[in-house]
């Protein structure tokens, strides 16, 4: 079973919460419910790099052994925009990222994914936050990520290191 889960664009109209509601937390918008078949699955961050391919291979084996689903997450890039008028702070906007579609097609054709049920989830924003958020939504048993190799990871800290510090579930880092 293969599939994709794409959420509605942010520019669509959303229902407005009732300001007279007794419970203000109930008025806040929640993400669309996730497929219950993938509850307690394995979340894996995937961007097509060599380290993420190794993480995917490990996550496939882990999901296969536990008899659970695989939630493959691709986090699209976000770039700061410059605000030309006033002294407002920079705003983050989603940059169209067709890489998710390409990754989805590659994964759909991959023989090694035939062993487990899987879905591809696209998100935009901070990689650590989005992986943890998907893990929370799907009540994942673990999050698998590849390690960062290179100067940027050493200077700014790797995604795996930041995720391991903040995650509320086990994080497995594959070298």
């Amino acid at each position: 079973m293969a599939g994709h889960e794409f959420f509605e664009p942010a520019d669509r109209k959303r229902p407005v919460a009732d300001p007279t509601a007794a419970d203000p937390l109930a008025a806040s918008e929640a993400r669309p419910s996730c497929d219950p078949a993938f509850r307690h699955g394995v979340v894996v961050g995937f961007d097509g790099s060599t380290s993420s391919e190794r993480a995917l291979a490990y996550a496939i084996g882990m999901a296969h052994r536990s008899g659970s689903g695989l939630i493959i997450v691709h986090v699209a890039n976000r770039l700061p925009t410059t605000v030309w008028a006033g002294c407002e702070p920079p705003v983050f906007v989603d940059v169209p990222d067709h890489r998710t579609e390409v990754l989805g097609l590659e994964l759909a054709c991959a023989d090694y994914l035939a062993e487990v049920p899987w879905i591809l989830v696209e998100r935009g924003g901070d990689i650590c936050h989005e992986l943890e958020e998907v893990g929370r939504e799907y009540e994942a048993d673990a999050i698998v990520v590849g390690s960062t190799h290179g100067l940027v990871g050493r200077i700014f800290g790797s995604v795996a290191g930041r995720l391991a510090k903040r995650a509320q579930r086990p994080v497995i880092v594959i070298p």
Side-chain angles (χ1 to χ4, degrees):
M1 176 173 148
H4 300 279
E5 181 177 333
F6 293 102
F7 297 105
E8 290 190 15
D11 60 347
R12 292 208 181 156
K13 292 188 177 187
R14 298 180 184 199
V16 178
D18 181 11
T20 61
D23 184 13
L25 294 177
S28 65
E29 180 186 342
R31 286 209 184 259
S33 61
C34 60
D35 187 343
F38 292 93
R39 290 238 186 261
H40 301 289
V42 178
V43 171
V44 59
F46 185 73
D47 63 2
S49 66
T50 304
S51 63
S52 71
E53 287 176 359
R54 286 193 293 261
L56 178 63
Y58 185 89
I60 291 169
M62 188 175 175
H64 188 277
R65 286 187 298 276
S66 65
S68 61
L70 183 65
I71 302 105
I72 304 169
V73 182
H74 177 252
V75 181
N77 295 326
R78 295 185 93 176
L79 296 176
T81 62
T82 305
V83 177
W84 295 101
C87 299
E88 297 178 29
V91 178
F92 286 93
V93 296
D94 287 326
V95 174
D97 188 359
H98 301 290
R99 181 75 180 136
T100 304
E101 294 174 20
V102 172
L103 289 174
L105 291 172
E106 289 174 9
L107 293 171
C109 296
D111 293 335
Y112 52 85
L113 278 169
E115 302 173 9
V116 295
W118 64 276
I119 58 172
L120 176 62
V121 177
E122 178 186 25
R123 293 291 176 90
D126 178 60
I127 298 170
C128 293
H129 173 75
E130 296 302 327
L131 286 172
E132 176 59 22
E133 186 67 20
V134 170
R136 185 189 60 74
E137 288 173 17
Y138 284 91
E139 300 172 16
D141 289 340
I143 300 173
V144 181
V145 292
S147 63
T148 305
H149 301 288
L151 185 61
V152 174
R154 290 186 186 133
I155 294 173
F156 296 109
S158 68
V159 170
R162 291 187 298 138
L163 186 60
K165 289 179 185 176
R166 68 182 280 181
Q168 300 298 311
R169 54 198 25 83
V171 175
I172 301 166
V173 181
I174 305 301

